[in-house]
Amino acid sequence: MDGRRVLVRADLNVPLEKRVVTDDTRIRASLPTIELLRERGASVVLVSHLGRPKGPDPELSMAPVGERLGELLGIEVKQAPGVVGEEVSSMASGLETGEVLLLENSRFEPGETKNDPALAEALAALAELYVNDAFGSAHRAHATTEGVAHLLRGYAGLLLEREVVELTAVRDDPQRPLVIVLGGAKVTDKLGVIDRFLGFAEEILVGGAMCFSFFKAEGRDTGNSLVEEEGVESARRVLEEAESSDTILELPEDLVAGREFDADTETRELNGVDVPEGWMGLDVGTNTAANFGKRIARAGTVFWNGPMGAFELEPFAGGTRSVAEAVAAAPGHTVVGGGDSVAALQGFALADAVDWLSTGGGASLELLEGRDLPGVEALQDASEAAHG
Ligand code: ADP
Ligand code: MG
């Protein structure tokens, strides 16, 4: 590695408030690969996207990320004025061993999301080797995640590798029984996972707003609950398939309802799952939480994605807290993915008790579904081409 320049695609897509990093989890998760490369005598050209700008946008500059990264690494991180271009090239070629240059937000270049070959070439010209550590973006075929991987000799970073190993183990070779816990707002995002695990997992536990698509499919009253209509038909199909499969599909047996999506709203515990007119189901009830907790405790492997309720609102955080506590205490191998589920665990100070916290929401779901991730495939294609 001595003296070599390495282009590292990291996932530094962190939340910002007024250009200050409010959660540096993803920056910290990227440190091992950057530190290993520096120890081995490389210099690092680092690139990531941040938010969803349609072009250059000072509000979404990487500068605050570079500052935080510099504090964590204990060095000055050089900030490039753009993603590519003459000035960026000369900064990259001037890097000394161990130095880190952070490129601007990759989405400032319209060619990023189009996987434009010219942008990929310009990026490849900045370095001699490529390392992809951006698992959270590996499900997208963009210039920094896919295009450039075909132009430089490429390697998986430590984080990306561990993510693939952990999630592949859940998908292909879990300790039994395998319990999949799904919640959150969108059924359609998670249907692929249900499809994949029906007939493979021992148990699938469904909470969150997702459950109302199932209840609607069963013909129940859902009141003002958040129901994803596109999900109802699919939920009906899943319920049918579940009947003839060996997998136990558990839906909530009780709920906590509120008048409105608000922490100060009137609340009510429902003994069953029919939601009266004028109310919305905002959390699973205590019996459901206890049942899910018992099943999680017996699992050999647990994968959890999506909160059990509107956990941001204290009156509706109970179900998510119970599941988080059960996952944290479970003797089996525990893997949690999804931005909000991870945030919930962190909020309850339970993140350290989980075996693997995935940094990829969409990417972790797509891997579990059995879909190829372009960012991972491109590395494999490139290494096969290099090694014959
Ligand atoms: P993740 O980021 O973990 O994948 P999602 O993004 O799918 O999870 O869903 C998280 C959101 O789902 C949270 O903002 C939460 O408030 C919301 N949610 C969960 N249950 C309900 C519910 N019963 N009604 C309304 N919103 C809900
Ligand atoms: Mg989310």
Side-chain angles (χ1 to χ4, degrees), residues 183-187 189-190 207-212 224-227 255-256 261 280-284 304-313 316 320 336-344 360-362 364-365:
K186 293 189 92 187
V187 205
D189 276 3
K190 289 160 198 183
M210 258 184 95
C211 69
F212 296 109
N224 294 334
S225 306
L226 184 64
V227 181
L255 296 169
V256 180
F261 193 96
M280 52 176 85
L282 287 170
D283 194 12
V284 300
W304 176 31
N305 177 299
M308 293 295 104
F311 73 102
E312 306 93 326
L313 311 175
F316 309 107
T320 303
V336 179
D340 292 285
S341 327
V342 171
S364 67
L365 294 174

